[in-house]
Amino acid sequence: MSGSVADRVERGFPHLETVRAALTALYRRLSADGVRGFGHSVAPGDVAFSDADDLYPGVQRVAGVMVGHLRLPAARVIVSFREMTHAANVELSAGPEYFVELNDRFKRHRGDIGAALAHEVTHVWLHRLGLAFPGTRDNEILTDTAATYLGAGWLLLDAFRQDALTSQKLGYLTPEEFGYVLAKRARLCGEDPAVWFTSPQAYEAYARGHALAVRDEAVPPLAAAPWWERRRYVRERRRGEPGGGPDGGGYAFEADGFGVRVSFPCPTCRVRLRVPARGRVRARCGLCGAVWACDT
């Protein structure tokens, strides 16, 4: 948990490349059906925790909600509190018991216990799944992305609060990156996570992330691209030059014995698709199953 001056919270999309790699990794490890199996998010009422609730039974109840949501029936998460620099810590082992330590400050901020446990229990889930990224930073980004895309991490964005003097943010993603992943999930599952936010700053960050997620679906050669990007795409296709910009993931042209093909990232899972550059076609992603109308 951060208690820093407001302007020290990192903003924007500095980890976007790793976030997108994490989405691809989830689809590769779980399959499209496996990801869609997490179609319902953790409900706000299931993790509600007021100051009137008994602390230890309450925190074990919330941990059980996270274990159940991530389908870890053989895992038992035991939660304790202590003074520490970080918000929380989990001891990863062979199981079936896992020990999570929460910062003592959560005793006074019980509404954010669900957010902290969403991250730590996702560590357990990834550990049992055998999915990890090299390096602490990238692995923590994978954890935040997985928690959010699978329906538990909206709590992490809602824990973001900021005023003129102080700020609080949980997790390693920026607020806008949490919003981006949430928007990706919303477009997959038909949910509207914004109705669950209690933090106005979370809502604003979600709106910025949502805008980028929408843009992913409107980058050439996708047919939904605006006319000015279509015009640039046609010019670059004639020259065989890559384009699209870093935010959109970029497209590139490849010539082979069958003609010219264009490759671009699937807006859902970010794996690269390749289609002939010969007009209107439909591209089906072999990883996530999404189908996209293209004008190549």
Side-chain angles (χ1 to χ4, degrees):
M1 178 186 297
S2 170
S4 59
V5 176
D7 62 4
R8 294 180 61 187
V9 173
E10 191 172 25
R11 306 300 297 268
F13 302 94
H15 314 113
L16 188 59
E17 181 179 353
T18 308
V19 168
R20 287 170 166 168
L23 292 175
T24 304
L26 283 175
Y27 276 98
R28 290 194 187 283
R29 188 66 179 85
L30 292 181
S31 80
D33 288 340
V35 170
R36 292 189 184 97
F38 293 88
H40 298 286
S41 291
V42 170
D46 290 344
V47 292
F49 199 156
S50 73
D51 291 341
D53 295 332
D54 289 338
L55 180 61
Y56 287 97
V59 75
Q60 290 300 149
R61 172 183 59 81
V62 175
V65 169
M66 295 302 169
V67 167
H69 180 77
L70 291 173
R71 302 173 187 174
L72 291 166
R76 182 172 176 232
V77 175
I78 300 171
V79 186
S80 62
F81 295 85
R82 71 174 177 88
E83 291 186 10
M84 65 173 78
T85 303
H86 300 296
N89 181 59
V90 62
E91 178 185 316
L92 296 175
S93 63
E97 291 186 339
Y98 297 86
F99 298 89
V100 172
E101 295 176 317
L102 297 183
N103 193 299
D104 269 341
R105 284 179 280 179
F106 284 110
K107 292 179 179 179
R108 305 185 300 276
H109 300 277
R110 299 185 184 187
D112 294 326
I113 285 177
L117 289 175
H119 180 93
E120 301 307 324
V121 176
T122 301
H123 266 303
V124 173
W125 181 79
L126 290 168
H127 173 71
R128 291 171 68 100
L129 197 66
L131 179 58
F133 278 0
T136 299
R137 168 191 169 276
D138 286 1
N139 204 52
E140 294 291 355
I141 291 170
L142 168 65
T143 303
D144 277 344
T145 303
T148 305
Y149 199 64
L150 299 181
W154 67 268
L155 291 154
L156 286 157
L157 177 55
D158 195 41
F160 172 51
R161 291 184 288 275
Q162 193 172 53
D163 58 33
L165 297 177
T166 62
S167 64
Q168 172 185 286
K169 186 185 80 68
L170 299 181
Y172 286 74
L173 300 187
T174 68
E176 288 78 12
E177 289 167 343
F178 275 120
Y180 174 78
V181 180
L182 275 175
K184 289 288 190 184
R185 173 178 172 79
R187 298 178 82 76
L188 177 73
C189 302
E191 290 182 330
D192 180 12
V195 300
W196 303 326
F197 295 146
T198 61
S199 163
Q201 291 82 19
Y203 185 89
E204 294 166 2
Y206 174 69
R208 296 188 188 102
H210 186 274
L212 182 56
V214 170
R215 172 174 163 72
D216 283 352
E217 300 178 11
V219 175
L222 296 171
W227 67 267
W228 59 88
E229 293 203 12
R230 291 283 319 148
R231 177 180 293 179
R232 183 178 64 187
Y233 170 83
V234 170
R235 183 172 61 250
E236 289 166 344
R237 182 183 62 192
R238 290 197 200 103
R239 299 172 179 171
E241 297 175 348
D247 284 349
Y251 49 81
F253 300 98
E254 308 163 358
D256 56 27
F258 300 96
V260 177
R261 293 176 177 269
V262 59
S263 68
F264 61 97
C266 171
T268 297
C269 68
R270 308 306 300 176
V271 71
R272 291 194 75 82
L273 308 179
R274 288 172 175 81
V275 295
R278 62 184 184 197
R280 290 190 174 270
V281 297
R282 292 175 69 81
R284 184 184 187 278
C285 180
L287 181 58
C288 70
V291 178
W292 303 99
C294 302
D295 189 353
T296 62

